[in-house]
Amino acid sequence: MGHLLDATAVALVEGTPVERPYTHFWAVADANGQRALSILRAAITEPAILAWRSCQSPFITTSFHQTTLVGFPLTDIGSVILMVRLPETPWTSIDQQCGATLAAHSAAMLRHARMYTDLQAYAAQTEVLNTLALFLGGLLDPARQLDMVLQRILALTHLDAGLIMLKDEPQDTVISVPALAIEPAQVTAMVEMVIATGQPVWLCRQHATTTETLPRALAGFCDLVMLPLALHATNAGALLIGSRAHRHISGEDLTLLLTIAQQLGLTLSNARLRRVANENEALRQANHLKSAFLASVSHDLRSPLTAIRASVEDLLERQHAVSASEHRALLSNIARETARLSRFVDQLLDLSRIEAGSLPIDREWIELKTLIEDVVSNFRQHWPDCRIETLVSPTLPLLYLDPMLIGQVLWNVLENGQKYGPPDGPITIEAFCTNSHLVMSISDRGPGIPLAERRRIFDRFYRLERDRHGRQRGSGLGLAICHGIITAHNGTIWVDERPGGGSIFRIAIPLTHERTGGWLPEEAFV
């Protein structure tokens, strides 16, 4: 444009009157060009530049350094093109018309360039926000992965260090990346102010009037931005990010950082709501299990107590008329129901010990075949019509186990098979050893266990969905105790479907050659 209008020097002053202007210069390469350039540099610092940038038509002024200065406003974008001719020659009407036309074209190009730049910036910001949203959405628990969140924010914003402070927990959460890059003690006061006011704070070393009054938070940084984090409808945290080199942070940059802080606050709030919802669901399920357990316990306690009471009252009422055989039958019934009640109370105590991690494991070298025979013999005394088959490998070595607890596991599984299996359906116990494990299986011909519930049956108080609405009673303790005992022996217990119908409870316990005793760890019941 300078060549077309035979100008010696040209200045383009961009920006609206309320913005800081951006200037671009061009001059011919000679002494006149340097002199004209000096005139233009001085002109843009004059107060009159504001009026020139707001003009709607070309203007000529000779009041500046006795030099003719021509201006062509770029309407609608708050810019102006200033020109100087040295040596001075008149600016004809044709020159002015050409200049106005060129200025209009320049304004259109600048508008398009600004739109393109704004679109690029908007696209870049949208990509940053979308990338961050996808990242946050993929985290299982953002509140426990704040270091990863902070690293991703710094990578997306190309900043050097960051810090997240949350005040809504029983103990303040402070996450810094890199570690200790921002000293929390130096920013605590300002963070409290950001949380209290809900307004961001931007500290810039280059904008400080004197280095003597620089905040301690700026130590080692040129720019530091503190943003409030809105958690649960209140400002309960802050996001701090800083740059060691000056970044020329613009209003758009601050808007992006504020949006990132809002996105992070919303993600943390949603994560907390999900956590609370899960806790409420767990409490609801626990309350449901407790209600079912209490109903079952009341039945399991009432049944033997009712039988014992009936037998005792019969003895008292007919104490002189009871025959010897009837007397023995009533006493046997009392003994049987008392043993039943004792086993149930023992199960409750064992369960409480397992959950407390205080159930003792008293290992000793035993013959598993003898232990199985003893359990089966005692079991037949209570259920003489139950058919039990045993297939025990004759090559079983001595095993270092707790006989009382392993016997209880066998009893509980046998009782489970007897309760749900057909009267004439045999229960089969098998036992053998591999190179590394003792393997036992107890098979029944009951209705089987649905695949979706095979893991849950080892949870305390859990009963199958079909049993909750049926006549079969149970406390949901037996298999939970089995799981705790087998886990205490470093083994596993699970259930499979038996071919032809029924269930197979399988137990695998590692073989040990050392006398390692101890207590049942608390995690054994988990």
Side-chain angles (χ1 to χ4, degrees):
M1 187 172 177
H3 285 299
L4 292 175
L5 295 178
D6 196 23
T8 307
V10 181
L12 170 62
V13 183
E14 286 190 84
T16 62
V18 296
E19 294 179 343
R20 179 182 176 183
Y22 295 94
T23 55
H24 309 273
F25 297 96
W26 172 86
V28 297
D30 57 18
N32 286 334
Q34 292 301 314
R35 180 166 166 252
L37 191 60
S38 299
I39 294 172
L40 290 176
R41 291 186 184 279
I44 64 173
T45 62
E46 293 293 323
I49 190 64
L50 292 176
W52 295 342
R53 293 165 64 188
S54 303
C55 285
Q56 299 298 314
S57 59
F59 60 87
I60 299 176
T61 178
T62 58
S63 60
F64 188 78
H65 289 248
Q66 285 75 44
T67 303
T68 302
L69 191 69
V70 178
F72 299 98
L74 278 61
T75 55
D76 301 333
I77 63 172
S79 303
V80 64
I81 296 176
L82 303 176
M83 294 187 179
V84 173
R85 283 179 178 174
L86 294 179
E88 292 193 26
T89 57
W91 289 86
T92 65
S93 59
I94 295 178
D95 291 338
Q96 295 180 41
Q97 291 176 2
C98 291
T101 302
L102 293 173
H105 286 295
S106 299
M109 288 190 295
L110 287 174
R111 276 195 299 270
H112 293 158
R114 288 183 181 181
M115 290 177 59
Y116 180 73
T117 302
D118 291 342
L119 286 174
Q120 281 187 317
Y122 178 78
Q125 292 184 2
T126 302
E127 183 179 0
V128 168
L129 295 176
N130 288 340
T131 302
L132 183 60
L134 289 174
F135 174 76
L136 294 175
L139 297 178
L140 296 177
D141 189 354
R144 299 181 183 274
Q145 298 170 291
L146 289 177
D147 53 342
M148 296 175 58
V149 172
L150 196 50
Q151 288 176 0
R152 180 56 61 94
I153 290 175
L154 294 178
L156 291 173
T157 57
H158 305 290
L159 294 171
D160 300 321
L163 183 141
I164 293 176
M165 297 185 69
L166 301 180
K167 310 288 287 186
D168 67 330
E169 303 292 339
Q171 183 177 1
D172 292 351
T173 301
V174 179
I175 301 295
S176 179
V177 175
L180 301 180
I182 301 177
E183 180 59 44
Q186 296 181 353
V187 297
T188 300
M190 301 198 74
V191 167
E192 295 288 351
M193 181 186 69
V194 169
I195 293 176
T197 62
Q199 299 297 320
V201 172
W202 173 29
L203 302 178
C204 181
R205 183 180 295 272
Q206 288 197 359
H207 291 171
T209 56
T210 173
T211 57
E212 297 178 357
T213 59
L214 284 175
R216 293 177 59 196
L218 269 178
F221 291 92
C222 187
D223 292 285
L224 188 64
V225 182
M226 306 182 187
L227 307 157
L229 292 177
L231 305 177
H232 333 308
T234 60
N235 295 319
L239 168 65
L240 286 72
I241 45 181
S243 174
R244 303 189 186 281
H246 185 51
R247 285 287 307 274
H248 298 288
I249 295 178
S250 64
E252 290 78 10
D253 293 332
L254 289 176
T255 300
L256 174 63
L257 295 176
L258 277 171
T259 306
I260 289 175
Q262 293 171 358
Q263 195 174 31
L264 176 58
L266 183 61
T267 300
L268 294 177
S269 298
N270 290 341
R272 183 178 184 275
L273 291 176
R274 286 195 301 270
R275 189 163 58 250
V276 171
N278 291 337
E279 291 172 355
N280 290 339
E281 177 62 19
L283 289 174
R284 189 192 66 80
Q285 292 183 2
N287 187 63
H288 177 74
L289 291 174
K290 182 190 71 174
S291 300
F293 169 70
L294 291 176
S296 175
V297 165
S298 63
H299 177 271
D300 289 342
L301 290 175
R302 188 184 300 114
S303 296
L305 287 175
T306 300
I308 292 171
R309 180 178 178 180
S311 297
V312 171
E313 289 178 349
D314 195 13
L315 285 173
L316 291 175
E317 290 178 2
R318 300 189 303 127
Q319 53 183 330
H320 299 296
V322 177
S323 65
S325 59
E326 289 180 324
H327 190 271
R328 176 176 294 276
L330 290 172
L331 290 179
S332 297
N333 185 54
I334 292 173
R336 184 170 56 253
E337 296 300 328
T338 301
R340 177 183 171 190
L341 183 62
S342 177
R343 284 196 308 274
F344 184 70
V345 173
D346 288 342
Q347 284 188 335
L348 291 175
L349 293 176
D350 288 344
L351 180 65
S352 64
R353 290 171 182 166
I354 288 174
E355 290 186 318
S358 58
L359 183 66
I361 306 297
D362 188 13
R363 292 176 183 258
E364 59 182 79
W365 294 102
I366 64 169
E367 289 186 1
L368 185 62
K369 182 178 181 181
T370 302
L371 176 62
I372 292 175
E373 290 174 349
D374 290 342
V375 172
V376 170
S377 175
N378 291 333
F379 193 83
R380 283 173 175 159
Q381 293 180 12
H382 291 80
W383 291 279
D385 296 332
C386 182
R387 292 173 54 198
I388 301 176
E389 300 175 352
T390 59
L391 300 173
V392 180
S393 172
T395 60
L396 279 181
L398 291 177
L399 300 168
Y400 196 53
L401 305 169
D402 186 318
M404 294 295 295
L405 295 180
I406 297 299
Q408 184 174 352
V409 170
L410 294 173
W411 182 283
N412 289 354
V413 179
L414 285 172
E415 191 175 40
N416 193 76
Q418 184 277 332
K419 181 186 297 184
Y420 295 100
D424 58 344
I427 300 174
T428 304
I429 302 176
E430 298 182 62
F432 61 91
C433 277
T434 67
N435 292 334
S436 59
H437 285 77
L438 163 67
V439 180
M440 292 185 290
S441 64
I442 301 95
S443 308
D444 61 55
R445 286 297 182 186
I449 299 172
L451 181 62
E453 297 182 274
R454 289 180 187 173
R455 292 180 61 88
R456 299 195 63 188
I457 60 172
F458 297 103
D459 296 341
R460 61 186 183 277
F461 310 142
Y462 185 79
R463 300 182 67 235
L464 294 179
E465 187 68 27
R466 64 168 181 255
D467 295 336
R468 298 174 193 171
H469 308 291
R471 296 183 178 181
Q472 287 287 0
R473 309 296 299 182
S475 60
L477 297 179
L479 294 180
I481 293 173
C482 292
H483 179 269
I485 292 174
I486 296 302
T487 303
H489 285 78
N490 300 319
T492 55
I493 180 172
W494 70 97
V495 62
D496 289 327
E497 181 180 2
R498 183 179 184 181
S503 302
I504 304 177
F505 286 85
R506 302 187 189 277
I507 299 170
I509 300 176
L511 298 178
T512 179
H513 304 289
E514 298 180 0
R515 295 178 176 269
T516 55
W519 298 84
L520 176 65
E522 184 175 355
E523 60 269 17
F525 191 72
V526 178

